[in-house]
Each structure stands twice: as structure tokens, then as C-alpha cells.
Amino acid sequence: MRIGIANDHAAVEMKNEIVKYLEGKGFTVVNYGTDTNDSVDYPVYGEKVACAVRDKEVDLGVLICGTGIGISLAANKVPGVRAAVVSEPISARLSREHNNANIIAFGARIVGLEEAKGICDAFFGAEFLGGRHERRVNLIDEVDKRNHQ
Ligand code: RB5
């Protein structure tokens, strides 16, 4: 599996640790930056991974900013992207199983490294369950289409 990852300046260290962790698990990780502590704008990095997921350069994504909120909000503006911001592993698993989330987001200022690893384990260890959930996920796309400007 190919995983795209990006972050803002609040999450460089955590991103580096998560890249090592995921590579250690055998995943191919594509890093879309940022890689320095210079202040950057999180929407730029949210869009990079969102477009990589949309364009199938990667299968799934990880986004990390201070809270995970801003970077996921930006990613969710890309049609077909479902970025779930979570702070514990149960929600990470359910975001795959029920919502077919294709990006997991979390905050480097909110969760510790071990919790972040647990979130990744839960997310990448789960599969979309389909069935009744599929109809609901399709309805999300319809909301998008109805309200597209
Ligand atoms: C950057 O200071 C911070 O606003 C950003 O990392 C994130 O938390 C935004 O949602």
C-alpha cells in the first residue's frame, strides 16, 4: 500500500516518526512536506495529499497539523476525499469501516506519538465494510455535487 503524508510546521517531528513507523510496517510512504520548522500554511499541505489520493498517486493519506482540524478541512474540499480528524484509535478504525475515510488526520499538539501510532494502526488495519454504509457514503458525494459552486 502507498500512503501519502503531509503536515505543517507544527508536526514535522511527529511526521518524521510516523513515516519511520509506517515504513517499518512495510508501507511505501510518499512525503509531501513540509520538512522544516519554518511557518507554512496548512491548506497547501492538505491539498497536496488530497489531490494525491484523488489522482490515485497513493491509496490513502495521513495529514498532521497542530490540531488536525485545519489541514483536514482543506483536504475535504477536494471532491472524493473523506478526511477524518481523530484523536484516538477507535474513531480511526470506524472512519475506515463506516465512512470509507481515505485520509486520517490528527493533531501533533493534541495526541502523543504512541497514540498517533495507534491511530495509524487502527486506520490502516481496517477496511470499509460497505453494505448500508456504502449508501450513506454515496450520499456524502451527492451533498457535494448538489452544493458545488
Ligand atoms: C498552526 O499554528 C496551527 O494553526 C495549525 O497547525 C493547525 O492547528 C490548524 O488547524
Side-chain angles (χ1 to χ4, degrees):
M1 184 191 292
R2 285 168 67 81
I3 299 171
I5 192 165
N7 56 283
D8 74 358
H9 52 278
V12 177
E13 264 181 49
M14 181 172 276
K15 187 271 296 289
N16 289 337
E17 292 298 325
I18 292 295
V19 168
K20 273 193 275 175
Y21 183 69
L22 292 174
E23 286 177 342
K25 298 250 165 194
F27 295 111
T28 300
V29 183
V30 184
N31 175 21
Y32 293 87
T34 186
D35 292 305
T36 75
N37 294 321
D38 297 342
S39 183
V40 294
D41 297 323
Y42 56 78
V44 173
Y45 293 89
E47 186 179 14
K48 283 178 194 284
V49 166
C51 290
V53 168
R54 179 201 59 196
D55 297 342
K56 301 190 184 339
E57 285 171 27
V58 295
D59 301 298
L60 293 171
V62 177
L63 290 172
I64 322 172
C65 65
T67 59
I69 296 171
I71 204 161
S72 62
L73 290 175
N76 278 316
K77 293 294 180 189
V78 175
V81 165
R82 290 173 298 278
V85 56
V86 304
S87 53
E88 38 69 34
I90 296 172
S91 300
R93 174 173 58 80
L94 290 172
S95 77
R96 282 292 294 138
E97 291 183 349
H98 289 194
N99 314 115
N100 202 10
N102 44 22
I103 294 180
I104 194 71
F106 45 88
R109 294 172 179 158
I110 305 296
V111 301
L113 180 58
E114 291 312 309
E115 191 77 343
K117 289 176 181 174
I119 287 168
C120 290
D121 287 343
F123 187 73
F124 295 111
E127 291 285 349
F128 181 46
L129 295 177
R132 69 184 190 280
H133 303 296
E134 182 135 38
R135 181 173 52 80
R136 293 166 183 161
V137 170
N138 289 340
L139 286 171
I140 296 174
D141 289 337
E142 288 182 27
V143 173
D144 196 11
K145 284 182 195 130
R146 267 199 305 281
N147 295 282
H148 192 73
Q149 293 163 3

